[in-house]
Amino acid sequence: MNKIPILRMGDTLLVTIQVDMEDQTALALQDDLAAKISTTGAHGVLIDISALEIVDSFVGRMLAGISGIARILDATTVVVGMQPAVAITLVELGLSLEGVRTALDVERGMALLAKARRERVLGR
């Protein structure tokens, strides 16, 4: 099983998925991210899936699950770099990734997290 590294940059956790996501890898990532958010107090999670050519329904649900867990732990999750074919497949599978914020690339994802951070500070 591949272990996906989680990097910390300020109050944001960065995850770049470079391997095909098997179910066990996705479950381990969910557990590792929850633990890392809890221990670091991170308020943002950026998940880069630009290297993934296929996202099945299980992985799609896991991304939504990670976002929900992060939200409960007071962190915002943004998924970036989704390939058009992956987006089409997720829609065809009926997975809208409800509650998951998305951005086209890392730069826009970081901007989205910065906006969420400002809104949190202002109490919006």
Side-chain angles (χ1 to χ4, degrees), residues 6-124:
I6 301 170
L7 306 175
R8 182 177 181 189
M9 189 172 87
D11 72 344
T12 300
L13 300 177
L14 306 173
V15 178
T16 300
I17 302 172
Q18 298 287 324
V19 297
D20 288 333
M21 291 281 281
E22 297 175 4
D23 293 355
Q24 291 302 318
T25 305
L27 287 170
L29 175 61
Q30 178 179 279
D31 292 345
D32 292 348
L33 262 174
K36 197 79 165 185
I37 292 168
S38 178
T39 58
T40 64
H43 290 290
V45 177
L46 187 122
I47 302 174
D48 179 6
I49 64 168
S50 60
L52 296 183
E53 295 180 9
I54 298 171
V55 173
D56 63 16
S57 62
F58 182 80
V59 173
R61 285 193 305 273
M62 291 304 296
L63 289 172
I66 287 170
S67 178
I69 291 167
R71 192 171 36 257
I72 289 170
L73 294 173
D74 195 27
T76 301
T77 301
V78 177
V79 175
V80 302
M82 187 177 297
Q83 301 288 335
V86 170
I88 292 167
T89 300
L90 289 174
V91 170
E92 288 175 350
L93 291 171
L95 295 171
S96 61
L97 298 184
E98 190 169 323
V100 178
R101 293 182 180 197
T102 59
L104 289 178
D105 54 38
V106 171
E107 184 176 352
R108 291 178 186 188
M110 293 300 284
L112 198 55
L113 287 173
K115 180 181 176 188
R117 190 177 306 112
R118 285 190 302 273
E119 290 175 354
R120 179 181 291 116
V121 170
L122 296 173
R124 293 182 189 167

